Amino acid sequence: MTSIGGAASSGMVDWNLAVATATRLVRPGPDVSRDEARAVVAELRRHAQSAEEHVRGFTGLGTPETHDTPLLVVDRPGWVRANVAGFRELLKPLLDKMQERRGTSPGNVMMGAVGGKVTGVELGLLLSFLASRVLGQYETFAPATRDLPAGAGGGGRLLLVAPNIVHVERELDVEPHDFRLWVTLHEETHRTQFTAVPWLRDHLEGEIQAFLAETDVDPMTVLERVREAAQSLVGGRPEGEEGEEGRSLVEIVQTPAQREILGRLTAVMSLLEGHADYVMDGVGPEVVPSVAEIREKFQQRRAKGASRLDLALRKLLGLDAKLRQYRDGERFVRAVVDEVGMEGFNRVWTSPNTLPTKAEIGKPADWITRVHRKPEA
């Protein structure tokens, strides 16, 4: 296994141990033969290529030359390794800050090494949980490595998690070829968003780093939140108990400045997720014959969730907020396109100033008024 982060493993988080733990604990994928697995991978690659053309034609975004990011069809351990690399890159400033606060005395260094291993194990627990649920992901910030290539200019790769896609298509009892194309339409839209809008990645990273820079909590408080999430997963917390009035990990560590930043991040993520859902539904009827059945069954699956334990963990991690982002963002995109057309909607990608605010996500007419208002004579 390729080392993730080298010497950084002895810091606040033992990243290598997180990968090892998640890889060891992640559930095996569905039972498929070697030939079937190869066929699924090949089909997902074909679908991703055709989805790129469909998304570009429907949205009017990007050109073939802008898609310089690789497509990786991965298994569950591969998803874990890719995300650990991204987490390490994104969280480095915060973890360095926490390390400085802890100090460099021998006792603190020893405690840090022990704490890093504990946190690595607990992060591995969470990743093993999530690795069996993610169908696909455009990984925006991950650096390129020998095993995990990324786009030019630092970061960017499209991940499709083959065993999870097969698992869900069997669970929903839908036509496999249609479902695989339907999934790639959503994920390909995310790749198009970031490759066709050059400033988007840096803007989003800047907002996240600003959020992390405002974090002013004791390192052990942050680690305790990770521990609570891990304990939820393994049953260490009473079933249904979410703690801290049910707030998510993100909400717990907020300062007033972070709340403002989080509002902007929520709006951007709602836009990105809603846009992907809108595009998926817009393209789907023409190229996915059973799209209506797939959409209905998938929405039921999203809304129902799984066990109470699953719901509690989703709440703690803030994943329930992501479900709202799909819904609210899709309504925003649909309302704007209905009013000003796709070309008018695409003005959202002009600059950070034309992104919708959190309030405008709920009131699309306000965004239209602000961005499309007629200049004064």
Side-chain angles (χ1 to χ4, degrees), residues 297-367:
K297 289 183 175 181
F298 196 77
Q299 286 289 74
Q300 291 173 352
R301 182 179 185 271
R302 266 185 186 171
K304 182 175 62 176
S307 64
R308 290 179 62 192
L309 177 60
D310 188 29
L311 294 173
L313 186 60
R314 270 176 25 189
K315 176 65 179 178
L316 190 59
L317 294 175
L319 298 182
D320 56 335
K322 186 176 178 67
L323 298 180
R324 290 195 299 272
Q325 288 167 5
Y326 284 110
R327 182 183 65 245
D328 297 343
E330 195 273 342
R331 288 174 180 168
F332 170 84
V333 176
R334 184 173 301 279
V336 173
V337 173
D338 286 348
E339 183 69 23
V340 298
M342 183 62 75
E343 185 177 353
F345 166 79
N346 280 343
R347 290 182 65 176
V348 78
W349 311 116
T350 304
S351 75
N353 293 330
T354 56
L355 291 171
T357 65
K358 187 177 180 181
E360 287 170 342
I361 287 290
K363 296 182 177 180
D366 290 353
W367 180 86

Side-chain angles (χ1 to χ4, degrees), residues 8-19 113 115-121:
S9 295
S10 60
M12 299 296 294
V13 180
D14 188 330
W15 298 106
N16 291 335
L17 187 56
V19 171
K117 290 187 179 301
V118 171
T119 307
V121 170

Side-chain angles (χ1 to χ4, degrees), residues 123-154:
L123 179 60
L125 278 169
L126 295 179
L127 289 171
S128 70
F129 172 83
L130 295 172
S132 62
R133 285 159 171 76
V134 177
L135 301 182
Q137 172 187 2
Y138 182 74
E139 197 182 20
T140 314
F141 306 111
T145 66
R146 184 185 62 186
D147 299 326
L148 294 167

Side-chain angles (χ1 to χ4, degrees), residues 173-241:
D173 190 25
V174 293
E175 211 289 318
H177 305 294
D178 285 3
F179 184 74
R180 294 166 194 175
L181 176 56
W182 188 74
V183 170
T184 58
L185 285 170
H186 182 101
E187 303 308 332
E188 188 61 49
T189 301
H190 287 315
R191 177 156 66 166
T192 297
Q193 290 163 347
F194 282 94
T195 55
V197 185
W199 55 264
L200 184 58
R201 177 188 180 276
D202 288 343
H203 171 71
L204 193 58
E205 183 177 19
E207 292 281 60
I208 293 172
Q209 292 301 338
F211 180 90
L212 296 176
E214 287 291 333
T215 299
D216 189 25
V217 296
D218 179 80
M220 295 311 298
T221 302
V222 176
L223 301 185
E224 180 61 28
R225 301 312 177 198
V226 176
R227 185 166 295 112
E228 288 176 0
Q231 288 173 345
S232 286
L233 181 58
V234 299
R237 295 164 60 87
E239 186 175 1
E241 178 186 322

Side-chain angles (χ1 to χ4, degrees), residues 42-171:
E43 183 175 18
L44 287 173
R45 291 189 178 280
R46 291 194 302 272
H47 282 331
Q49 184 174 2
S50 63
E52 175 187 334
E53 298 173 2
H54 293 311
V55 170
R56 193 167 62 244
F58 184 79
T59 64
L61 292 175
T63 65
E65 291 73 27
T66 61
H67 280 62
D68 66 343
T69 55
L71 165 69
L72 304 179
V73 182
V74 298
D75 58 10
R76 291 168 177 176
W79 179 87
V80 168
R81 289 192 294 272
N83 274 266
V84 165
F87 289 156
R88 178 178 175 267
E89 183 76 9
L90 197 60
L91 295 177
K92 186 177 186 301
L94 174 63
L95 296 178
D96 287 348
K97 176 181 176 180
M98 293 167 64
Q99 188 71 44
E100 290 176 6
R101 174 172 291 191
R102 170 167 281 177
T104 58
S105 68
N108 285 338
V109 170
M110 181 176 295
M111 287 294 293
V114 173
K117 290 187 179 301
V118 171
T119 307
V121 170
E122 291 167 343
L123 179 60
L125 278 169
L126 295 179
L127 289 171
S128 70
F129 172 83
L130 295 172
S132 62
R133 285 159 171 76
V134 177
L135 301 182
Q137 172 187 2
Y138 182 74
E139 197 182 20
T140 314
F141 306 111
T145 66
R146 184 185 62 186
D147 299 326
L148 294 167
R157 53 185 169 231
L158 180 61
L159 306 177
L160 295 174
V161 191
N164 295 351
I165 293 173
V166 172
H167 171 79
V168 174
E169 70 192 26
R170 291 179 178 179
E171 178 186 325

